[in-house]
Amino acid sequence: MSDFQFNIKHAGKVYPITLSSEAVGSDLRAKVETLTLVPQDRQKFMVRGGLTDNSTVVSSVIKPNSTVMVLGTPDANLILKPTDDTKFLEDLSEKERSMQEDATPVGLRNMGNTCYFNASLQALYRIKPLREKVLAFNESNPDLHGQLVAQLKQCFNAFAQRKEKAFTPIIMLTILRKIYPQFAEKDPSTGFYKQQDAEELFTQLLHTVDAVFGESLSSKFEIEFKTTITDTLNETDVQTKVESDKKLQCHISSTTNFLKNGLTESLVEKVEKRSEVTGSNSIFENSKKITKLPEYLTVQFVRFYWKKSTGKKSKILRKVQFPFQLDVADLLTPEYAAEKIKMRDELREVDKLREDDFKEFNKNIQEHVPLSLSPAERYETQMALEESKREHWAAEFAKKFPKDLRPGENPSSVYNLIAVITHQGANSDSGHYQSFVRDEVDEQKWYKYNDDKVSVISQDKIEQLAGGGESDSALILIYKGLGL
């Protein structure tokens, strides 16, 4: 029987908790009662379901190293002898206290041209189902792919625990270079490791995730297409096939100004090949329409191309604007689009009600959070109420989802932007990669990850990542399905 640790917060104080992995709700309530003097019947835990069932196994609803808010009024007449030493936030060391109070996420140290690596890891951590799978990974004799995931788990644990300002994933990088030798390429003139392409790394990391976790995770990223192949010189020669991929590509031409234009153009390709019907060369048009949308949609801007004169992957600097909310209904087959548009409209109605509810809550905050409470109590109460509202609206969205959704399928055709990986410079072998990640609670707050330097930026700064020069240009966009 193993132990797991987490924190509870009550009335502005943080209490470390250690329980066995088999402990149930009643065990936790008894421990919280001794620490906070809040009677067990008054305790409200800000987790899904509120932990109202005392027989629920605590480790099934509370994650290790997380912090859970507890509401409830202490009973001054409740006299108990604590079974453990109580450790308040003010009792922590200066370093521990600064980490508890600082909400800025953990950065990653650059290990020599590894910004492409760091930016990709920060963006991947934002994908909740991937993060949860990795943090729960526990294999005793993993192969190389499993070893890579085990090291990714160490990195994600550092992000979750926030014990340090920055983490150095050197072992993970070493294993990565064993599995994918292209990332071990060195500059012959200096002997240093070369800068690499973040998009290529991102793709290979998803390949490793597939190898370790299989369909249960890969389905959340997989796009399925119906591809129609037509001989343009003999239109009776038409073939169809089913294909899949884990990203959409946005090719950039001299007329591409918006993401949707680039996506639409990228789904139609003309190639010259020999016709099996006529026996002569012909131009064939490959036209794709989507037949399955994933929960998480990855979009790649095809900004790099091979330039013979320099012998490098040069960069297309053109500005291409992208939306915070992306609707891909016009990229689907007609019958699939009809399903998704109906669900899109229903989910947008729920989303509008959700937004109005939060606006009303924030406008009348004093009615919900009395001024008579201390500042710490007001903060705790507000955070708890907001979390309760988020759980309520997540349930409201889920009520609308179709019952026949395929594994990993987005209920509608709409996505919200959650992360951007960018590149500065003129070619993929140089310059600098960064990631920009949306906060999981505050949709207007974004984090800029510049290796070990992490800063908070507003949403309007993300609009400036559309390109147009050698400054930060979006290379990879990660979108999450509406209501998920």
Side-chain angles (χ1 to χ4, degrees):
M1 185 186 303
S2 60
D3 290 344
F4 80 108
Q5 298 178 333
F6 58 97
N7 299 323
I8 64 162
K9 290 181 70 175
H10 177 263
K13 294 187 181 295
V14 176
Y15 305 83
I17 297 281
T18 301
L19 292 174
S20 77
S21 58
E22 297 178 2
V24 295
S26 57
D27 300 321
L28 174 59
R29 288 183 181 280
K31 195 151 193 170
V32 170
E33 186 177 66
T34 65
L35 294 172
T36 65
L37 297 184
V38 176
Q40 296 184 32
D41 58 354
R42 295 184 192 170
Q43 295 171 16
K44 169 64 174 174
F45 292 86
M46 294 299 101
V47 295
R48 187 173 297 280
L51 204 63
T52 55
D53 188 345
N54 283 335
S55 63
T56 299
V57 176
V58 176
S59 59
S60 70
V61 293
I62 296 179
K63 297 180 178 61
N65 306 309
S66 63
T67 298
V68 175
M69 287 180 286
V70 179
L71 292 181
T73 306
D75 186 343
N77 297 316
L78 186 66
I79 306 300
L80 294 168
K81 181 180 179 180
T83 56
D84 298 306
D85 291 336
T86 301
K87 193 175 185 182
F88 299 106
L89 183 62
E90 54 266 34
D91 297 327
L92 300 176
S93 68
E94 182 177 349
K95 181 179 181 181
E96 291 174 322
R97 185 165 60 251
S98 68
M99 291 307 300
Q100 289 278 3
E101 293 173 342
D102 187 357
T104 304
V106 174
L108 290 171
R109 296 183 182 90
N110 195 307
M111 297 166 282
N113 287 333
T114 60
C115 56
Y116 72 96
F117 179 72
N118 294 345
S120 298
L121 295 186
Q122 297 287 12
L124 284 170
Y125 183 75
R126 181 59 175 81
I127 301 174
K128 186 177 179 180
L130 186 151
R131 178 174 73 230
E132 291 178 343
K133 282 278 190 182
V134 169
L135 288 173
F137 180 72
N138 187 18
E139 190 171 322
S140 56
N141 296 302
D143 60 8
L144 273 177
H145 285 291
Q147 291 175 36
L148 186 60
V149 170
Q151 290 304 314
L152 183 59
K153 177 180 179 178
Q154 295 295 319
C155 181
F156 281 8
N157 270 327
F159 293 164
Q161 295 172 10
R162 298 184 180 182
K163 291 183 179 179
E164 301 290 341
K165 293 286 186 181
F167 180 73
T168 309
I170 184 66
I171 300 175
M172 182 183 173
L173 183 61
T174 302
I175 297 171
L176 174 82
R177 287 169 172 162
K178 288 181 181 179
I179 302 175
Y180 305 111
Q182 64 266 41
F183 299 113
E185 186 180 6
K186 292 184 178 181
D187 186 328
S189 63
T190 64
F192 294 126
Y193 287 107
K194 285 186 175 181
Q195 175 75 283
Q196 298 291 337
D197 187 338
E199 190 282 323
E200 185 177 359
L201 173 72
F202 193 90
T203 298
Q204 299 292 21
L205 287 176
L206 285 183
H207 173 72
T208 285
V209 166
D210 282 356
V212 173
F213 298 112
E215 180 68 17
S216 64
L217 189 56
S218 65
S219 64
K220 298 181 183 298
F221 306 97
E222 194 158 72
I223 313 160
E224 291 181 5
F225 305 91
K226 176 184 177 182
T227 302
T228 303
I229 306 164
T230 306
D231 184 346
T232 59
L233 300 181
N234 178 21
E235 294 189 357
T236 62
D237 183 6
V238 179
Q239 304 173 42
T240 61
K241 61 180 179 179
V242 175
E243 297 180 298
S244 65
D245 204 337
K246 287 189 170 59
K247 64 176 179 291
L248 289 180
Q249 290 188 326
C250 176
H251 289 281
I252 304 173
S253 70
S254 59
T255 59
T256 307
N257 296 315
F258 300 96
L259 173 66
K260 182 63 76 65
N261 303 135
L263 293 178
T264 302
E265 293 168 5
S266 299
L267 293 180
V268 179
E269 179 185 24
K270 290 186 177 180
V271 295
E272 182 178 353
K273 65 179 182 177
R274 186 176 180 81
S275 169
E276 295 179 3
V277 175
T278 65
S280 59
N281 279 5
S282 188
I283 303 297
F284 286 79
E285 181 179 275
N286 296 347
S287 178
K288 293 183 177 182
K289 287 290 185 179
I290 297 172
T291 56
K292 185 252 180 179
L293 288 171
E295 292 183 8
Y296 289 81
L297 180 66
T298 302
V299 176
Q300 174 203 356
F301 285 100
V302 185
R303 287 195 176 274
F304 297 124
Y305 67 97
W306 187 256
K307 192 172 184 179
K308 289 184 180 179
S309 61
T310 61
K312 293 181 178 180
K313 286 184 181 178
S314 292
K315 182 178 173 184
I316 299 171
L317 302 177
R318 186 177 182 83
K319 181 177 181 179
V320 181
Q321 296 179 331
F322 54 88
F324 286 100
Q325 187 169 91
L326 175 67
D327 185 357
V328 295
D330 53 346
L331 306 182
L332 316 181
T333 59
E335 57 275 18
Y336 192 54
E339 297 174 21
K340 295 304 176 185
I341 289 171
K342 179 179 182 297
M343 185 53 54
R344 173 196 70 189
D345 295 343
E346 292 184 15
L347 293 184
R348 278 181 167 167
E349 288 181 9
V350 176
D351 200 36
K352 179 64 167 61
L353 293 172
R354 178 190 67 87
E355 289 179 355
D356 290 345
D357 185 30
F358 272 94
K359 285 179 182 177
E360 187 68 19
F361 173 81
N362 290 325
K363 187 169 70 173
N364 301 299
I365 190 69
Q366 293 183 13
E367 296 178 14
H368 306 291
V369 185
L371 287 171
S372 57
L373 297 176
S374 69
E377 289 173 328
R378 284 175 55 78
Y379 174 79
E380 293 292 327
T381 303
Q382 183 174 342
M383 292 299 100
L385 289 172
E386 287 181 1
E387 177 64 23
S388 178
K389 281 189 174 294
R390 283 191 291 273
E391 289 184 0
H392 165 76
W393 286 109
E396 291 300 304
F397 277 114
K399 289 177 184 177
K400 297 288 186 180
F401 294 168
K403 304 301 181 186
D404 58 351
L405 278 178
R406 286 168 284 177
E409 184 178 11
N410 184 14
S412 78
S413 60
V414 178
Y415 291 90
N416 290 322
L417 185 67
I418 60 170
V420 184
I421 297 175
T422 65
H423 177 265
Q424 297 174 3
N427 62 72
S428 65
D429 296 334
S430 62
H432 185 58
Y433 290 94
Q434 299 186 116
S435 62
F436 298 77
V437 179
R438 196 185 80 186
D439 185 84
E440 295 199 44
V441 174
D442 185 347
E443 297 177 4
Q444 302 300 312
K445 180 195 290 186
W446 286 72
Y447 298 104
K448 175 183 177 180
Y449 291 93
N450 179 9
D451 288 326
D452 57 339
K453 301 176 184 66
V454 185
S455 56
V456 176
I457 62 172
S458 59
Q459 181 169 288
D460 62 317
K461 298 292 185 184
I462 303 303
E463 296 173 353
Q464 300 173 16
L465 306 177
E470 293 189 14
S471 59
D472 277 302
S473 301
L475 183 66
I476 298 173
L477 307 175
I478 302 176
Y479 284 94
K480 176 185 175 184
L482 175 65
L484 294 173

